[in-house]
Amino acid sequence: MRRVVITGMGALTPIGNNAKDFAEGLLNGKSGAGPITRFDASLFKTRFACEIKDLELNDFLDRKASRRMDPFTQYAMIVCEEAMQHSGLDYENIDLDRAGVIWGSGIGGFETIEHDMTEAALREGAPRYNPFLIPKLIADIAPGYISIKYGFRGINYATVSACASSTHSISAAFDYIRWNRADVMISGGSEAAVTRAGIGGFSSMKALSSRNDDPLTASRPFDKDRDGFVLGEGAGAVIIEELEHAKKRGANILAEIVGVGMTADAHHITAPHPEGLGAKNVMKLALKDAGLNKEDIDYINVHGTSTPLGDLAESKAIKAVFEDQAYALNISSTKSMTGHLLGAAGAIEAIAGIVAIQEQAIPPTINHFTDDPAFDPKLNLTFNEAQSRKVNAVISNTFGFGGHNSTVILKKYE
């Protein structure tokens, strides 16, 4: 099968509005959490989130077109343009029938569902719905818009698997290229769930941290006092190409995708398998797919949401897969900085893996204050500060409600 590489990336996150600033935020241990500004959250149990900051949509999108998009699509368009520019891909002079888009979002047009539908339903008299209501809210509209902008006429669809969505999108794009069904793919994910319903819904599930007195340190993966995740928003995009296609045009190759895995817990709609069975299986499958041994992996960017059950289950899975080699790994959760971007999490965390390879440094798990005796103290969870080390191969894990698990393995290009 054909080799597959990444040649461009774009990021819009709570700790940086482009890939360069995102990378700096990661390695500097920056927290993106703060009081919610999108709406009055004073009556909510959780009153903070990881929001995007200082974003001027008019700098990126035509005002008329932007009004016809939900924020999750706006974010997608912004990061795809950055990724395309970064890749240097002359999309007018490639085979557009072999260029496609696969995009992930766990929810899609959450703000549109919440605002436009509710307003129309509550309006007195005859119901009046926005003619763009349906195109704004459906999850597959983002890859549709992206393909229209760049003229990509190949494979095009959306992946929806909750928090595993964008890792699934990258995995699918990788497969289509190595199977010789495409040469170039735009892939990634976006989410815009910092809304009343987003905060209220996740809070009612007791999934969110309620550390309102100290939101900057609320996301505490692996810490004894972790009390839930912090909701984030944003997007990440990568340009994925067949190796010879990239070399022929003199592309700057950022990393190689060498393996993927996909499994289901088949256990519970929201809780992970207590022994991390699905997580264990997905990492094993990805290693086998990549043709790598456990000794070949240097860093695992874990799902690590800062929930009591999830962090523990994933650590058990890592020990089950890597055995004593687990102690030679660096492990970190960048959600401690970005919060949980739901369907966009896998995309920005894959980019974090690329940053680790390029900078030969591991982003930290910030906000660690108290050791939890439930975790093996010999695991290197990269607490509080970035660590320099040789990074050749990276695993990125994402797991979603419904028991969906997806893993991608990135490697330094040689």
Side-chain angles (χ1 to χ4, degrees):
M1 289 188 285
R2 307 192 308 167
R3 292 175 69 182
V4 182
V5 295
I6 294 174
T7 58
M9 58 188 185
L12 178 61
T13 78
I15 62 170
N17 288 1
N18 54 61
K20 180 177 180 293
D21 290 347
F22 174 52
E24 290 179 1
L26 286 174
L27 296 177
N28 289 325
K30 180 179 179 180
S31 172
I36 291 170
T37 63
R38 291 278 188 279
F39 58 90
D40 180 4
S42 60
L43 298 179
F44 286 75
K45 183 179 179 182
T46 293
R47 299 186 289 276
F48 60 92
C50 286
E51 297 178 325
I52 294 169
K53 301 160 187 69
D54 304 318
L55 177 65
E56 293 293 338
L57 284 175
N58 293 336
D59 292 343
F60 301 95
L61 298 169
D62 173 79
R63 185 187 297 270
K64 182 178 179 181
S66 178
R67 289 174 59 191
R68 296 175 176 180
M69 299 175 183
D70 185 87
F72 96 99
T73 303
Q74 295 169 352
Y75 299 166
M77 300 302 288
I78 290 170
V79 295
C80 286
E81 180 61 19
E82 182 190 2
M84 289 291 282
Q85 293 289 337
H86 188 212
S87 75
L89 183 69
D90 182 2
Y91 57 88
E92 294 182 350
N93 290 299
I94 63 172
D95 185 348
L96 295 173
D97 292 326
R98 289 181 59 84
V101 185
I102 303 178
W103 199 257
S105 183
I107 298 167
F110 208 142
E111 184 175 291
T112 298
I113 295 169
E114 180 177 331
H115 292 165
D116 295 17
M117 289 181 68
T118 301
E119 287 179 9
L122 296 178
R123 186 180 291 117
E124 292 184 6
R128 286 180 53 198
Y129 287 90
N130 186 324
F132 290 96
L133 172 66
I134 302 303
K136 284 176 70 176
L137 67 86
I138 53 179
D140 67 301
I141 201 65
Y145 269 116
I146 296 163
S147 69
I148 291 167
K149 178 171 183 178
Y150 301 109
F152 284 15
R153 297 190 295 264
I155 299 155
N156 187 286
Y157 63 88
T159 54
V160 181
S161 50
C163 309
S165 296
S166 52
T167 304
H168 273 126
S169 75
I170 293 169
S171 299
F174 166 66
D175 278 339
Y176 285 123
I177 292 175
R178 65 173 171 169
W179 294 338
N180 199 20
R181 294 180 181 176
D183 296 323
V184 180
M185 299 292 294
I186 302 174
S187 191
S190 55
E191 205 78 86
V194 181
T195 69
R196 288 175 174 272
I199 292 292
F202 283 113
S203 183
S204 70
M205 296 172 63
K206 303 188 187 308
L208 297 183
S209 169
S210 57
R211 203 178 299 277
N212 294 298
D213 58 336
D214 190 11
L216 277 174
T217 71
S219 183
R220 302 184 179 190
F222 307 112
D223 190 271
K224 184 176 183 295
D225 297 320
R226 64 193 184 280
D227 68 332
F229 70 81
V230 179
L231 190 60
E233 61 177 358
V238 287
I239 307 302
I240 305 176
E241 288 187 65
E242 189 270 327
L243 175 60
E244 296 304 319
H245 188 279
K247 287 168 65 177
K248 185 176 180 179
R249 68 179 187 86
N252 178 33
I253 295 173
L254 306 176
E256 183 172 4
I257 306 176
V258 293
V260 297
M262 291 166 271
T263 66
D265 277 7
H267 170 70
H268 189 273
I269 59 170
T270 57
H273 189 282
E275 298 302 315
L277 180 61
K280 178 182 74 173
N281 289 343
V282 79
M283 286 186 281
K284 283 186 172 182
L285 284 173
L287 285 167
K288 182 178 181 181
D289 189 43
L292 296 179
N293 299 314
K294 57 190 178 184
E295 293 81 12
D296 296 320
I297 302 299
D298 304 296
Y299 169 44
I300 301 178
N301 186 300
V302 292
H303 188 58
T305 57
S306 183
T307 56
L309 297 179
D311 292 0
L312 184 58
E314 190 169 8
S315 74
K316 290 180 179 179
I318 290 170
K319 289 191 64 178
V321 172
F322 289 89
E323 301 174 312
D324 288 345
Q325 185 63 24
Y327 304 130
L329 297 167
N330 270 84
I331 299 164
S332 76
S333 170
T334 49
K335 288 185 180 72
S336 59
M337 296 177 271
T338 65
H340 193 351
L341 271 63
L342 307 180
I348 67 163
E349 288 160 16
I351 292 171
I354 295 170
V355 170
I357 290 169
Q358 294 201 316
E359 300 297 327
Q360 295 291 283
I362 308 298
T365 305
I366 67 168
N367 302 329
H368 181 73
F369 301 97
T370 308
D371 290 341
D372 186 339
F375 297 103
D376 188 333
K378 292 188 290 183
L379 290 175
N380 183 357
L381 299 171
T382 322
F383 285 135
N384 296 327
E385 292 186 359
Q387 295 178 14
S388 297
R389 69 165 289 167
K390 181 179 178 181
V391 183
N392 186 57
V394 172
I395 279 179
S396 179
N397 287 336
T398 48
F399 313 136
F401 283 175
H404 312 294
N405 308 302
S406 187
T407 291
V408 62
I409 300 181
L410 303 168
K411 194 176 179 185
K412 185 177 180 180
Y413 170 67
E414 296 176 339

